[in-house]
Amino acid sequence: QVQLMESGGGLVQAGGSLRLSCVASGNIFSINTKGWYRQAPGKQRELVADITYGGNTNYADSVKGRFTISRDNVKNTVSLQMNSLKPEDTAVYYCNLGVGSLTYWGQGTQVTVSS
């Protein structure tokens, strides 16, 4: 079984920063893609950013230049540094692990940005 545990969500004022972290445990194949998704009330879950085992990154246009994704392949962690946060970034953020055709999700962490 694979488990993903997120941490680091919370309430922050617009313009502030938060750092999300996710640690993966269990039977994990090392070559994988890790990412962060988010879901705001009434909206579909969307990709925020992802990063391959080799370090190639991909960002949603709405977060480019503000968010940075990183990973530690030894510790099986993935982090999301979020700067210049906006009220529209408010959502539940989910950690994601993709291994071939398999996808795993964390339980989600709430990020709320006040104006």
Side-chain angles (χ1 to χ4, degrees):
Q1 293 291 336
V2 174
Q3 290 187 324
L4 302 175
M5 184 66 69
E6 301 110 334
S7 61
L11 173 65
V12 65
Q13 288 188 333
S17 299
L18 284 174
R19 184 176 180 85
L20 305 182
S21 295
C22 174
V23 58
S25 60
N27 188 18
I28 304 166
F29 186 60
S30 59
I31 309 299
N32 56 62
T33 295
K34 292 185 169 73
W36 290 93
Y37 287 68
R38 67 186 181 188
Q39 188 166 18
K43 294 187 177 181
Q44 289 188 330
R45 191 173 297 187
E46 63 176 2
L47 173 69
V48 177
D50 61 23
I51 182 168
T52 66
Y53 181 82
N56 292 320
T57 58
N58 177 44
Y59 294 92
D61 287 342
S62 59
V63 307
K64 283 181 181 177
R66 300 188 297 122
F67 292 9
T68 303
I69 190 170
S70 59
R71 62 185 287 165
D72 184 323
N73 292 333
V74 174
K75 296 180 179 179
N76 273 324
T77 60
V78 59
S79 298
L80 186 69
Q81 178 66 42
M82 305 185 294
N83 299 327
S84 302
L85 283 161
K86 303 176 181 180
E88 51 263 44
D89 295 317
T90 295
V92 177
Y93 284 70
Y94 296 90
C95 178
N96 171 274
L97 171 66
V99 183
S101 61
L102 299 177
T103 300
Y104 302 94
W105 295 95
Q107 82 286 353
T109 185
Q110 176 71 45
V111 171
T112 303
V113 184
S114 63
S115 57

